Amino acid sequence: MNAQAQDWDDLRLFLAVARAGSLSGAARSLGVTHSTVFRRIGAFEARLRVRLFDRLPGGYALTQAGKEMRDSVIRIEEEITALGLKVTGQDQRPTGTIRITTTDLLAVGVLPRHVAAFRAEWPEIEIEVVVADTVLDLTRREADVALRLGNPGQETLVGRRVGRLAFAVYGAAGLHARGADDPADGDWIGYGSAHGPLSRRLARWWPDARQVYRTNSIIAAHAGAKAGIGLAALPCVIADCDPSLIRAAALPEDFMLDLWLLIHEDLRQTARIRLFLDFMATALAADADLLEGRCPCKTRPAQA
């Protein structure tokens, strides 16, 4: 069994290099060092007595033997993943770890207090949160649950819409005093090409807005607005709870993004996953006023 486990570890490492095309990319994806990947790939090729990669200036390219091995290893990976999903799906114990992937916005502004409440009720279940802008592949068990804005619509995923996230224009109190009440006249924190639906709406509503600072992170935009850099379109669930910000203006149209919980269909009957989904759906439904911007303390701009 130990030999078989080692063989699979070598195959996983080989596949990581094949997918990344470089040792450094494979090392990042596996959470190991560059030197570890270099050493183990060399030892793997020596043991097989075949060259799997051409070492090129731009990275590692598969040889013909490497391409054939890659196709076979992908099939093995798919079988192992499918088996793991089916076995995990039969786990009826309310114990173990739930790996959640989400964005920085939701990891900071939505999850923490609900995770705390969930663990108070189910202390034997541990939570791991992976913050990533890209959706990790649930079919390959990179995560168990995804909390996302929008539904990617993958056939093997089961989705549940659990809320809607409203946005408004916010700024530090000092900006209001300096006459930045009208968004068209104020300095702005923009998102560039990130957060596509929101960025496109902002460009349409205020095409001449002065974007003096840009970031791909809503959490970074929130920090920039607090520091007085400029106005920012922020989710009400974060900004309405921050006493250092004012809601400077509403958006010209109701702008909300759907909040989804997603899992692989084979995990629907796993006890800890089912408990977490049901808990979060109930908790976020109770948060509807906050998520949708109806928090009573911030519905009107502050007066200068």
Side-chain angles (χ1 to χ4, degrees), residues 85-96:
L85 286 168
K86 290 185 184 303
V87 170
T88 305
Q90 302 303 315
D91 188 353
Q92 296 303 304
R93 299 168 300 165
T95 61

Side-chain angles (χ1 to χ4, degrees), residues 201-217:
R201 292 283 189 96
L202 291 173
R204 193 178 78 221
W205 292 329
W206 294 294
D208 300 321
R210 296 187 302 276
Q211 292 191 10
V212 300
Y213 181 72
R214 295 180 185 83
T215 176
N216 67 344
S217 166

Side-chain angles (χ1 to χ4, degrees), residues 66 92 167 218 236 263 299:
Q92 296 303 304
F167 287 71
I218 286 177
C236 301
I263 63 167
T299 55

